[in-house]
Amino acid sequence: MVKYLPLFFLRNFLVTFVVTKYKYLKMHLKQLNLLNFKSYNQVDIKLHPKVNCFVGNNGVGKTNLLDSIFYLSMCKSNFNSIDYQNIKHETDFFLIQGNYTRYGKDENILCSVKQESGKKFKKNGKAYNRLADHIGFLPIVIISPADSSLILDGSEERRKFMNGVISQYNLPYLNNVLKYNKLLANRNKLLKNKGYSKAGLLDLLDVIDSQMSSLAQFIYEHRVDFSKKLTPLFQDYYQKVSTGDEVVELTYQSDIAEKNLKAHLTESFEKDRIVQHTTRGIHRDDLILSLNNHPIKKEGSQGQQKTYLIALKLGQFNFIEQLSGVKPILLLDDIFDKLDTTRVEQFIKLVSDHTFGQIFITDTNRLRLNNILKKINSGYHLFNVENNSVELIDAQ
C-alpha cells in the first residue's frame, strides 16, 4: 500500500491546485455535444471553466447553444417548451450531452428527445424516473431578450419566473406546484361538466378544494419568503448597474394573503360554475414590478427595462447561490444592445470578479466582445458561430 502514497499525494495536490485556482467554481460545464438539436447537425466543443463567448450574426445559432445548456439544467428549452419542435428538421430525434465537474466529481448528463418515445434524461448513464428529481442539480440563470415578457406580458410569466427559481433549490415546492396544477385541471374539468347537480358538484369539489387549499398555503408561504429575500438583492444590483437614483420594488400579490383558499373557492363557486374555470387561487398570483412607484411596463424606457431585468436575474443568481451553496451557470444572450456605455461598463465590473462562476455570452459585435474580455480578469474561450458550425478562434 505504501507504493501508492506518491500517487495519492499527487492527486491531492492537483485537486488542491484546481480548487485554489477556481475556488469560486464548485460546478462548471467542461464539454458540450449536440446532435440534431434545433439548427445543428452536430457540435462538439470544449469549454473554459470561467468565460465562453459566442460571436456571430443574428440567426446563425448562438442562442441555440445557450438553450441546449439550459436544457441540461431545467429539462426543457427556455424558448420552446414543446420538446419535439426542438428537433432539427428532417430528423426524428435530438441528443444533448454535457460533461460537468461538480464538487470535484465528473458528472455526465444526457438528454434525448425522440418523436416516438418522448424525452429521457440520464445522469452518469442512469435514467431519471422523474424529471423533477434533476431540477436544481445544475443551477442556472439565463438573461435574454425573451425576459421582456416578464414586464410586458401577463401574470403567468411572472409566476413561471417564481416557480422556476424556487424549484431549483426546493424540490417539495416543485412537487406541490405539480400536484396543485393537476388538481386545478381536475377541478376545471368538473366545472365544465354540465351533468352534475349543484349539490353533487359541491360534494365532488369539497375534497379537491381541501387538498388545493393545503398545497396553496405551502406554495404561498414559499413565494412570500422568496420575494422578501430576492427584493434587496435585486435592488442592490439595480443601483450598481444603473448608477442612478431610481427606486425599484418587487411586490408579491396573492388571493390567499387575506384568507385561505378553501374560503375563496367556496365564495366563488357560483361564478366558477358559470365561467367554467377556477377564478381564485395561487394560479392567479402576481409579482408586481415597479419603478419609482409606477409599473415598470409604463414607466421605464427600454434601457431602464433592460437594466431592471438584468438586475432581477442577477438577484436570482445571488439568491440561488446563497441557498444552494453553488454558483449557477450564467447565460447572457445578446444583452448589451439598448444598454448605454455606462451601464455596460457597470455590468462588466460586476461579472469580472469571483462573484460569478462559469459565464456564457453571445453577441453579434466582435469588437464589443473583445473589449469586454479585456476587462474580465480571467481566462476565456471565444468561438465564432457561422452556418450552424462553432469554431474556437481565441483562447486565454
Side-chain angles (χ1 to χ4, degrees):
M1 185 152 186
V2 175
K3 64 180 179 179
Y4 293 107
L5 281 177
L7 183 59
F8 171 80
F9 284 122
L10 176 60
R11 177 184 178 277
N12 276 346
F13 169 78
L14 291 173
V15 169
T16 301
F17 173 77
V18 172
V19 171
T20 300
K21 184 175 181 182
Y22 296 110
K23 61 184 178 181
Y24 46 90
L25 292 176
K26 295 179 180 177
M27 175 191 74
H28 68 271
L29 176 59
K30 298 189 297 182
Q31 183 162 336
L32 178 68
N33 307 101
L34 308 179
L35 187 63
N36 297 335
F37 180 70
K38 292 193 171 181
S39 56
Y40 290 100
N41 291 317
Q42 184 171 355
V43 170
D44 302 287
I45 50 177
K46 293 183 179 180
L47 301 162
H48 193 278
K50 181 58 180 171
V51 177
N52 296 274
C53 298
F54 302 97
V55 63
N57 295 327
N58 290 322
V60 297
K62 303 186 302 298
T63 297
N64 293 345
L65 294 170
L66 269 55
D67 198 29
S68 70
I69 299 170
F70 186 89
Y71 233 116
L72 290 173
S73 287
M74 300 301 292
C75 304
K76 63 179 182 179
S77 165
N78 185 59
F79 303 102
N80 188 343
S81 60
I82 302 175
D83 291 308
Y84 74 85
Q85 290 183 358
N86 296 304
I87 299 173
K88 182 175 170 56
H89 296 316
E90 312 303 327
T91 65
D92 62 358
F93 74 97
F94 76 70
L95 292 174
I96 309 172
Q97 181 173 259
N99 293 318
Y100 294 79
T101 290
R102 186 177 181 276
Y103 288 105
K105 179 184 176 183
D106 288 340
E107 304 283 1
N108 181 275
I109 306 299
L110 178 68
C111 169
S112 65
V113 172
K114 296 183 179 180
Q115 292 277 14
E116 305 85 7
S117 54
K119 177 165 55 182
K120 293 182 180 178
F121 252 79
K122 293 182 179 180
K123 181 174 74 173
N124 300 324
K126 184 177 180 180
Y128 282 98
N129 292 323
R130 299 188 321 148
L131 295 179
D133 294 334
H134 178 69
I135 306 299
F137 183 69
L138 303 169
I140 197 163
V141 173
I142 183 169
I143 307 177
S144 83
D147 294 329
S148 62
S149 62
L150 287 172
I151 291 176
L152 302 177
D153 291 357
S155 60
E156 181 180 0
E157 291 300 319
R158 294 179 286 280
R159 287 192 299 274
K160 286 180 181 178
F161 169 70
M162 290 190 285
N163 289 341
V165 179
I166 301 173
S167 296
Q168 289 198 60
Y169 65 86
N170 190 329
L171 182 57
Y173 175 90
L174 174 59
N175 289 332
N176 282 0
V177 169
L178 295 174
K179 291 176 185 176
Y180 179 93
N181 289 339
K182 187 173 182 179
L183 287 169
L184 178 64
N186 290 337
R187 190 178 196 276
N188 289 339
K189 186 175 181 180
L190 287 172
L191 289 169
K192 289 180 173 65
N193 192 323
K194 298 184 181 298
Y196 295 108
S197 65
K198 179 179 178 179
L201 183 57
L202 280 170
D203 286 342
L204 289 170
L205 292 182
D206 184 63
V207 176
I208 292 178
D209 291 356
S210 296
Q211 294 177 12
M212 286 179 65
S213 185
S214 176
L215 293 169
Q217 189 62 35
F218 178 93
I219 294 166
Y220 167 76
E221 290 172 359
H222 282 79
R223 286 179 178 175
V224 168
D225 182 66
F226 162 72
S227 62
K228 286 182 177 178
K229 291 178 178 176
L230 178 66
T231 296
L233 300 173
F234 153 69
Q235 290 171 329
D236 181 57
Y237 277 118
Y238 188 90
Q239 296 305 321
K240 288 178 178 177
V241 177
S242 69
T243 66
D245 56 1
E246 297 103 340
V247 177
V248 293
E249 189 66 55
L250 304 175
T251 306
Y252 172 48
Q253 290 186 347
S254 177
D255 286 338
I256 64 173
E258 301 172 357
K259 53 188 173 184
N260 66 53
L261 180 58
K262 184 71 181 293
H264 278 299
L265 295 176
T266 300
E267 289 179 1
S268 64
F269 169 74
E270 293 294 348
K271 178 180 180 181
D272 290 355
R273 194 180 184 195
I274 293 171
V275 300
Q276 299 184 346
H277 68 264
T278 307
T279 58
R280 307 299 291 271
I282 54 96
H283 59 286
R284 300 177 66 86
D285 289 356
D286 202 354
L287 187 66
I288 307 303
L289 312 180
S290 62
L291 173 70
N292 296 328
N293 297 316
H294 297 282
I296 179 69
K297 180 178 181 178
K298 297 180 180 179
E299 177 76 6
S301 65
Q302 285 188 324
Q304 287 174 318
Q305 289 185 7
K306 196 151 193 176
T307 302
Y308 199 101
L309 292 169
I310 288 173
L312 186 62
K313 291 302 190 79
L314 294 182
Q316 171 190 344
F317 179 101
N318 201 327
F319 180 78
I320 292 175
E321 182 192 5
Q322 288 182 10
L323 290 170
S324 69
V326 178
K327 294 181 185 298
I329 289 174
L330 182 61
L331 309 178
L332 307 177
D333 184 28
D334 191 27
I335 70 167
F336 299 113
D337 284 343
K338 297 184 176 68
L339 286 181
D340 58 44
T341 304
T342 300
R343 292 177 193 243
V344 172
E345 290 282 342
Q346 290 300 116
F347 180 79
I348 297 307
K349 286 180 182 178
L350 287 176
V351 300
S352 64
D353 60 18
H354 296 338
T355 300
F356 296 91
Q358 191 176 29
I359 302 172
F360 293 82
I361 302 172
T362 69
D363 204 342
T364 57
N365 190 321
R366 172 73 183 275
L367 179 60
R368 180 165 54 198
L369 271 182
N370 287 340
N371 290 334
I372 289 171
L373 291 172
K374 288 177 184 177
K375 295 172 183 176
I376 294 179
N377 186 27
S378 71
Y380 62 84
H381 282 177
L382 175 61
F383 299 90
N384 183 64
V385 183
E386 187 176 6
N387 298 324
N388 295 310
S389 64
V390 185
E391 179 186 5
L392 179 66
I393 56 174
D394 192 15
Q396 180 176 305

